[in-house]
Amino acid sequence: MGRLVLGEMLMPLSAIPAESVEHGEVFTRRWIVDLILDLAGYTADRDLAALVAVEPASGEGAFLAAMAARVSASCRKHDRSLLDAKHAVRAFDLLAPNVAASRRLARDVFVEDGWPLPEAREVATAWVRQGDYLLDTHVDSGVDLVVGNPPYVRLEDVPADRMLAYRAACPTMTGRSDLYVGFYERGLRSLKPGGALAFICADRWMRNQYGRQLRELIVAGYSVDVTVTMHDVDAFEEQVSAYPAITVLRRAPQGAAVVADARRGFTAPDAPELLEWVADRESRPRADDRYEIARLPHWFDGGDSWPAGSPSRLALIEDLNDRFPPLQDAATGTRVGIGVATGADSVFITTGADVEPGQLLPLSMVRDTTSGTLRWSGHYLVNPWNADGQLVNLDALPRLQAYYQRHAAALKRRHVAGKQPAHWYRTIDKVDHSLVERPKLLFPDMKNAIHPVLDEGGFYPHHNLYYIISATWDLRVLGGLLLSRVAQAFVEAYAVRMRGGTLRFQAQYLRRIRVPRPEAISAADRAALATAFDKRDSRAATEVALRVYGIDKPGDLIDGPAGVRGGNP
């Protein structure tokens, strides 16, 4: 029985009961399995008996049956005995019934293909073992292929001992991770140079916070070869809401990446056509009611969330990422931030309070931005901070002290007050007084469409507002760019979409917007962008932005497939 080191303690795997784990089994349709194996290059024309392929969660054998058929055909093509393939596949499953079912299925495939029963039984038995892929010490390294449909289980649904073991074995499983993140990590680390991992799995890890370390691992040492989004495809034997995607990753330097979006009309007869497109390096982007597909010159960098969207939208985003600097840029002195969080808005935000006048700071609120022009609603922050960023001395401000004392019970219940009892009257965030008089573009947190509003100075933003300040940009010109569908496309690609289609316009997403250098925009285009911003005319702003960004074919920024024109900003 394998053992796992946890700190100074050796924990036997037998002490972690597999039967108590929610197994998250979802069985994949055969034509989807064949598509995945073809995308990964696991085809019978290769000498598969000489390779090592791993199926880390075999279930009842959906992938194993297809692999057995291909290994059988490969052995005949390469004039090999089936016994030559005894070590060509390593399959794992936690449950003894699944192990038995997988062995029977592989054995039957071999027998039906004419191999002697003793050989078929020997190979099938050798291929499948009962064990936990994430913890088993017998997992191979130097693997050619890891393939399958890993289990869909939230890590917090796993018993505590097993969860700790998983986190120790797979460092990418951080936060509220899903178990499949560990399968990606262990599979990737087992690959030999040039080896591939091909999974069909929920694609949330590409964008959620818990997938960050997995994304960093991939960008640091692997390539994204193919992604096929299949959210609306009937890919499994039962209906699930799993947002699945096929992902083919390789232990190799990053090259071109194929991105496809298989739509509801995508069925088994379409798979060969998609494979033919992938194999032809000269294929041009295509889109119809069944699928859309494009080839990107490379994948996206870093551990930040990878963008989502149609292949044409991703191609556009990648092109703009390559050609333009980010919105937040030290070279232009442009910064994105968020307004003040108090932890007790009912105390700190008022339309009038009996405190020293200098401690009432005019506060801009989301409601003030609704019209597109800042219309102050008369709210103030009862401000506990000095201009130098230090908490005020309440003894020197008796009216402010009395005000806070009246609300002391509510203020002291806050987490921030519990951490710093002597500073019980502080807001969660410090106030940066230098921000008040600076012109700012304000962005409400939740909106269906991007909504920049100009504060010409005099107000401090509330925490439901994000802001942009700049040492270089004319903020009306920048506001015009950010009012356009180009800026909207960036936020749509990266942001979390709420119920009803509402987007979160948070700082982390606004920073992902790419913009031209201010000096590269002609005087005429600057004037047109400022006018479009003043008139709240998104269509006019988009027309100018397309020209400024060098986008010849706006594609699904407006409607339909996208295209871009190269060139330096």
Side-chain angles (χ1 to χ4, degrees), residues 428-447:
I428 293 174
D429 299 325
K430 287 187 177 183
V431 168
D432 176 6
H433 286 81
S434 69
L435 185 63
V436 177
E437 297 304 325
R438 293 193 66 170
K440 299 171 284 294
L441 287 173
L442 304 176
F443 296 80
D445 180 3
M446 293 188 286
K447 207 81 174 172

Side-chain angles (χ1 to χ4, degrees), residues 304-389:
D304 290 336
S305 61
W306 292 341
S310 67
S312 56
R313 173 70 64 88
L314 294 181
L316 174 62
I317 295 295
E318 185 187 45
D319 176 79
L320 298 180
N321 283 346
D322 286 346
R323 294 194 290 122
F324 296 98
L327 174 60
Q328 180 160 299
D329 187 1
T332 60
T334 304
R335 180 166 64 87
V336 182
I338 185 172
V340 61
T342 71
D345 282 358
S346 62
V347 176
F348 284 104
I349 299 177
T350 180
T351 54
D354 183 19
V355 300
E356 287 76 6
Q359 301 312 127
L360 288 178
L361 187 65
L363 198 67
S364 54
M365 310 287 286
V366 166
R367 72 187 73 178
D368 305 344
T369 68
T370 303
S371 69
T373 301
L374 187 64
R375 301 183 185 278
W376 185 46
S377 56
H379 285 86
Y380 294 90
L381 177 74
V382 182
N383 183 19
W385 301 97
N386 286 324
D388 60 3

Side-chain angles (χ1 to χ4, degrees), residues 18-19 23 25 27 58-61 93-105 128 130:
E19 293 76 10
H23 297 100
E25 295 175 313
F27 302 116
S58 66
E60 294 183 356
D93 201 274
L94 276 172
L95 303 181
N98 283 351
V99 171
S102 294
R103 285 172 173 169
R104 282 195 304 271
L105 192 58
V128 189
Q130 185 176 359

Side-chain angles (χ1 to χ4, degrees), residues 144-168:
D144 296 281
L145 174 68
V146 180
V147 65
N149 174 12
Y152 297 37
V153 181
R154 299 292 297 185
L155 195 54
E156 60 260 34
D157 294 333
V158 175
D161 287 350
R162 203 173 192 89
M163 180 180 68
L164 290 172
Y166 286 154
R167 289 194 188 277

